[in-house]
Amino acid sequence: MMKFKAMTAVAALLIAPAAFAGGADDDTLTINGELEMTTKAPAPEHLDGIFDEVISGWHFRSDETQQLETDDFDNPGMIFVDQAMDEWNTAEGSEGKSCADCHGDPAESMAMVAATYPKFNEEAGELRTIQMQVNDCRVNRMGADAWKYDSGNAVSMEALITSVGRGTPVQVAIDGPAAEYWEKGKELYYTRTGILDLSCASCHEQNYGNYIRADHLSQGQVNGFPTYRLKNAKLNGIHSRFKGCVRDTRAETYSTGSPEFVALELYVKSRGNGLSVEGPAVRN
């Protein structure tokens, strides 16, 4: 009986009457007056029969929130990029090295990273996210401590690396050795969990554009992560957002940096192949 009541309540939240259903607007996103972003793109082949078009979450936000992302001086996420730039140039660890010592200017060396990660690392024999790769460099090249996943330093550095790739189309590989991770991520995406019996697809595939409470549901694209959320006034990593979504289904969730969330990140990011890298984005 309790589960039935919970499902009735969630149906009322998600299945909005037509009169209240919203959707993506037709605005265009240009950053700093010169960087044109692809925020709508033909859906990748593996979404055939699901979507004809993939749409950035930017289109589902209010005009005021959208405007914050059009200028780096207004985008609060860029504060964390500046902080990470200081970290990039600071020598740390037993080797006395900084990121810059090996990689130079991030605008030149890191421009394609956000578009292609998560990525299978042949030498390590595992799928790696940006934060995993950063920690590998810190431990094995700098002799420094690894950062906790999605901690302040870690997510800020990811934002720096992502920011220099803005405008580049997302193009994560899902074949070869990455395929098994992609399949696991897909399984997680469609698995219903928690007391509310919801999957990622319940909101972001079947009900995007509808209202949930007072906000529009988007397609759940992650091309804008790390994302500054007005709701909690901080920069948020992808895994932290996954954790919050699973928690909202009233289920036990995985940890940030867990194999499950690494696989889910690959799958969800592949759903946005063709959209511009947009992070650090601004969302509600």
Side-chain angles (χ1 to χ4, degrees), residues 24-35:
D25 63 24
D26 293 320
D27 295 345
T28 57
L29 174 58
T30 302
I31 296 176
N32 299 330
E34 57 184 14
L35 183 56

Side-chain angles (χ1 to χ4, degrees), residues 127-145:
L127 185 74
R128 283 187 175 172
T129 64
I130 292 174
Q131 289 188 40
M132 289 169 68
Q133 189 61 49
V134 167
N135 272 337
D136 181 78
C137 284
R138 286 181 59 78
V139 172
N140 295 313
R141 296 189 181 185
M142 298 169 65
D145 292 335

Side-chain angles (χ1 to χ4, degrees), residues 106-121:
E108 297 177 3
S109 61
M110 299 286 126
M112 289 299 298
V113 171
T116 57
Y117 271 73
K119 187 176 184 179
F120 189 80
N121 185 297

Side-chain angles (χ1 to χ4, degrees), residues 12-203:
L13 284 172
L14 291 177
I15 314 300
F20 295 100
D25 63 24
D26 293 320
D27 295 345
T28 57
L29 174 58
T30 302
I31 296 176
N32 299 330
E34 57 184 14
L35 183 56
E36 295 183 6
M37 310 293 283
T38 299
T39 52
K40 293 183 179 182
E45 216 172 281
H46 62 81
L47 290 182
D48 185 40
I50 298 174
F51 292 145
D52 293 325
E53 184 178 51
V54 288
I55 307 169
S56 165
W58 183 82
H59 281 287
F60 297 86
R61 307 280 60 88
S62 68
D63 290 344
E64 294 78 8
T65 302
Q66 287 181 335
Q67 188 65 30
L68 290 172
E69 204 176 316
T70 64
D71 192 313
D72 284 352
F73 285 105
D74 293 331
N75 184 339
M78 295 305 293
I79 296 171
F80 301 93
V81 170
D82 290 342
Q83 292 173 354
M85 194 67 209
D86 290 338
E87 191 79 45
W88 179 273
N89 291 310
T90 300
E92 191 178 351
S94 61
E95 300 303 306
K97 290 183 178 181
S98 69
C99 302
D101 287 331
C102 291
H103 300 290
D105 184 351
E108 297 177 3
S109 61
M110 299 286 126
M112 289 299 298
V113 171
T116 57
Y117 271 73
K119 187 176 184 179
F120 189 80
N121 185 297
E122 295 282 354
E123 184 178 348
E126 66 179 3
L127 185 74
R128 283 187 175 172
T129 64
I130 292 174
Q131 289 188 40
M132 289 169 68
Q133 189 61 49
V134 167
N135 272 337
D136 181 78
C137 284
R138 286 181 59 78
V139 172
N140 295 313
R141 296 189 181 185
M142 298 169 65
D145 292 335
W147 284 327
K148 182 181 176 182
Y149 210 95
D150 268 1
S151 65
N153 286 337
V155 77
S156 293
M157 185 60 72
E158 184 177 4
L160 167 62
I161 293 169
T162 301
S163 72
V164 299
R166 286 180 298 178
T168 308
V170 174
Q171 47 196 291
V172 292
I174 62 174
D175 56 357
E180 64 175 291
Y181 298 91
W182 186 83
E183 290 291 350
K184 177 62 176 176
K186 181 179 180 180
E187 180 184 351
L188 288 167
Y189 189 88
Y190 285 103
T191 298
R192 291 176 174 270
T193 61
I195 294 173
L196 297 185
D197 195 36
L198 295 172
S199 68
C200 306
S202 300
C203 290

